[in-house]
Amino acid sequence: MDGTPSRIDELAGRAGTWLGLSGTGPGRHTAAVVADRFDRFTWRDTCAQSAGLRELAEELGERHGHAAAPDLLADVFLAAYKAGPRVREHAEMVPSRLVNHQIVTALLESAEFAELRRETAGDPYAAAMAVLAQAGAVRGLLERSRPEQRQADRADRARQAAEDAANAVSEALRSAAEEAGEDGTVAAEAADAVRQAVEAAEAAEAEAERAAEGAAQALAAAAPGLRTGARNAAAKAAGAVREEAALLRAWGVGAGELERMPFGRRALLAERLRTGRLARWAELIGRFRQMAGGERARKVENATGELVGVTLGDDLSRVIPSELAHLGLPELRAVFAVRYAAGELMLYDSRGEQATGRGAIIACVDTSHSMYEAGPGGITREAWSKACALALLDQARHAGRDFVGILFSAADRLRVFRFPAGEPAGIDRVLDFAETFLGGGTSYQAPLSAAGELLAEEFDDAARGRGDIVMITDDDCGVTEAWMRSWNDAKRRLGFRVFGVVVGAPRVGAAGSALEALCDNLRCVEDFTDVHAAADLFRVI
């Protein structure tokens, strides 16, 4: 140092560059995804509800020794959750989070992540599941990017040192200004302190630039690997989220119900669906429900069955539009009246069975030991039967009818599940019905007697008859003559119909069998992969 006095304005001119860098470094962020306080609250609230997220954040923080890894989880969550996620500019990030920035950028640029976001946007639970599904891939990405992260951390420290040096310049200049004379002259010692601070700041800034350049080069070299890893992570997460969404849809859990369901409750439900007795057959259950919905859509209002042409008659409910158009012309109204009186109006002609049921739909499902046998496609008789029964539950709710599921095997083994039309069919109750398996032998009298009593109760209490009983079984067993007489009496009094579905055992429904005598409509299903084998059942119930 030259030891000569200096003027404060000269010192301020030399220190000016560093004065602009002093302070807390505005514009530097640890989060790569731009988020408002509501987004940040959603992330914190989701973490509070998800032990899996908390454990993962803690594990990554301990393994990698700093907060960058947990910050990455928040970024991945918000990228999946936000409707229109935006990644900050590279220059806005603190250097230690540049690896996170690169990973999140790679995720959002991938087609796999765009597919994932169709399931997760706006849904905190699904976004959290996406994070957890990518946990293994995130671990791998962070492990492979350790050298780049060390470079970024070095750049972060160098940047912090440069900011500290800039703050030292500001402090030295402030002290010099306080000691300056009236003419602006600063003592040599104070001036030297300012010059030393400026030189230290210049050196720190140069080091920060070298460290930042080194980090940028390391990240650029690692970018292809990070992009590949990000795509793989997104693809895996998309598969997991899509699988769970399909599972929930297959079991009839609607989006509205999921939105109202607490996080913990939804997680437990998803786990139950993944590990339950019929978890393997979710696709079959979903296909049954879709098929039944399609058959409902095919039904023609005001007609008794499938339209096959035009006929003549006086049924005003089936008059074709061109005939009705005559009523709009005064001069043709008299002609219409004459043709109506003569029964010569053109009507839609139809054929097929009429869906006459108005009372409860009762599914009697055989759960004897033999129902556990697998058929074509590896599907068990039980899985096919339960899927059919769940579709009948949908059918009943769509028509505003009560549904009763009766699970039976031996005479002393019976479980009855009631689903009144006016009450929600809770998913837990539906799962209890679907997952119950009694085992043992087979008895027809016990379930059919229970079904008849339920229909009699409905008839006596609500004056509602014409119920439908669907008997799904793979075994044949006898009934007593006395029971058969009382059964036929009840059937005549209550007007219910009995449909029989034989699964995987054609001999059961053979001529002269007990099941043939009991049923008005009997069919046999041997191919369990074919849900359309029961299609006509849903057209007439």
Side-chain angles (χ1 to χ4, degrees):
M1 299 299 167
D2 57 19
T4 59
S6 299
R7 293 181 58 79
I8 190 64
D9 53 353
E10 294 174 357
L11 295 173
R14 184 171 181 184
T17 299
W18 313 108
L19 296 179
L21 296 177
S22 65
T24 57
R28 300 282 182 165
H29 298 274
T30 59
V33 177
V34 178
D36 57 29
R37 61 191 182 94
F38 297 106
D39 298 326
R40 291 189 290 273
F41 171 80
T42 300
W43 164 244
R44 290 194 299 270
D45 183 59
T46 304
C47 276
Q49 297 182 66
S50 171
L53 283 179
R54 295 195 303 273
E55 291 167 3
L56 180 59
E58 183 178 350
E59 174 209 328
L60 293 179
E62 291 177 355
R63 185 176 182 83
H64 296 277
H66 50 66
D71 282 346
L72 176 59
L73 297 186
D75 281 330
V76 174
F77 172 85
L78 292 173
Y81 169 72
K82 287 176 62 66
R86 181 174 68 83
V87 179
R88 299 185 192 279
E89 294 297 325
H90 187 277
E92 295 181 72
M93 302 295 298
V94 297
S96 63
R97 301 302 191 271
L98 289 176
V99 171
N100 292 3
H101 183 276
Q102 188 126 340
I103 291 173
V104 173
T105 300
L107 280 173
L108 285 171
E109 288 176 349
S110 70
E112 292 82 359
F113 202 78
E115 180 184 355
L116 170 67
R117 282 180 33 75
R118 283 199 285 270
E119 298 286 353
T120 61
D123 186 340
Y125 174 88
M129 183 186 170
V131 174
L132 294 173
Q134 296 175 88
V138 168
R139 288 188 190 97
L141 287 170
L142 290 175
E143 198 64 38
R144 288 194 298 274
S145 62
R146 274 183 183 274
E148 292 75 27
Q149 186 62 56
R150 283 195 290 269
Q151 294 259 37
D153 289 342
R154 188 178 304 117
D156 204 14
R157 291 191 296 271
R159 172 52 54 192
Q160 185 59 52
E163 290 183 3
D164 291 343
N167 289 335
V169 171
S170 179
E171 181 61 26
L173 186 63
R174 184 187 63 77
S175 297
E178 290 177 351
E179 297 178 12
E182 293 183 2
D183 61 351
T185 301
V186 178
E189 184 178 353
D192 286 345
V194 172
R195 294 187 188 99
Q196 289 173 2
V198 169
E199 289 173 1
E202 289 173 344
E205 179 65 19
E207 176 59 26
E209 289 178 357
R210 284 193 296 272
E213 184 178 354
Q217 290 174 351
L219 282 172
L226 289 177
R227 281 195 292 270
T228 300
R231 284 197 302 271
N232 293 339
K236 182 176 181 180
V241 173
R242 190 167 54 245
E243 180 182 340
E244 182 167 305
L247 187 64
L248 291 165
R249 283 193 294 267
W251 282 96
V253 184
E257 185 177 356
L258 288 178
E259 289 176 4
R260 296 188 298 271
M261 193 177 293
F263 187 99
R265 169 79 181 87
R266 183 168 170 182
L268 289 174
L269 172 60
E271 180 64 17
R272 183 177 181 184
L273 293 179
R274 281 193 295 269
T275 59
R277 184 179 183 85
L278 297 183
R280 293 174 55 198
W281 315 121
E283 182 185 357
L284 176 70
I285 293 168
R287 286 195 287 125
F288 246 107
R289 284 181 149 149
Q290 290 174 358
M291 178 273 293
E295 293 304 322
R296 285 195 295 272
R298 289 180 57 187
K299 288 185 178 181
V300 181
E301 261 188 54
N302 302 322
T304 58
E306 182 182 358
L307 295 177
V308 295
V310 176
T311 188
L312 299 179
D314 59 1
D315 185 351
L316 294 178
S317 69
R318 295 191 287 133
V319 174
I320 67 174
S322 60
E323 286 278 35
L324 291 175
H326 293 165
L327 292 175
L329 301 173
E331 61 273 21
L332 294 178
R333 288 174 187 167
V335 175
F336 182 92
V338 169
R339 294 180 63 187
Y340 172 62
E344 294 179 351
L345 292 175
M346 287 190 292
L347 314 175
Y348 284 121
D349 193 12
S350 61
R351 67 183 176 195
E353 298 172 89
Q354 185 175 9
T356 58
R358 292 295 180 271
I361 297 176
I362 302 179
C364 297
V365 182
D366 187 349
T367 59
S368 60
H369 283 313
S370 58
M371 291 293 285
Y372 195 63
E373 293 181 14
I379 299 171
T380 64
R381 297 172 179 181
E382 179 202 7
W384 194 95
S385 302
K386 296 283 184 63
C388 183
L390 291 173
L392 287 169
L393 168 59
D394 286 351
Q395 192 86 345
R397 302 202 72 77
H398 184 270
R401 301 168 66 182
D402 291 348
F403 176 82
V404 181
I406 299 179
L407 305 178
F408 70 93
S409 58
D412 59 344
R413 294 189 179 185
L414 197 75
R415 287 286 304 276
V416 178
F417 295 83
R418 303 185 69 163
F419 298 89
E423 300 175 10
I427 182 62
D428 286 325
R429 183 73 170 158
V430 172
L431 285 170
D432 288 342
F433 166 60
E435 294 178 347
T436 298
F437 190 83
L438 302 176
T442 306
S443 170
Y444 287 174
Q445 288 186 192
L448 290 175
S449 293
E453 289 169 6
L454 288 168
L455 291 177
E457 177 187 320
E458 182 181 41
F459 182 81
D460 294 337
D461 293 347
R464 194 163 54 235
R466 293 159 60 192
D468 290 313
I469 299 173
V470 181
M471 186 78 168
I472 309 176
T473 183
D474 72 337
D475 199 2
D476 198 15
C477 63
V479 295
T480 66
E481 291 185 11
W483 182 89
M484 193 67 177
R485 284 195 298 270
S486 65
W487 172 256
N488 287 331
D489 290 343
K491 190 175 178 184
R492 281 191 294 271
R493 183 173 76 90
L494 302 174
F496 59 78
R497 300 177 297 178
V498 182
F499 297 85
V501 182
V502 178
V503 288
R507 69 184 186 283
V508 173
S513 68
L515 196 60
E516 184 193 37
L518 286 167
C519 297
D520 304 301
N521 183 306
L522 182 63
R523 74 213 61 223
C524 181
V525 177
E526 295 185 61
D527 183 0
F528 297 164
T529 64
D530 181 15
V531 299
H532 295 282
D536 59 330
L537 187 66
F538 295 93
R539 280 198 293 272
V540 297
I541 291 181

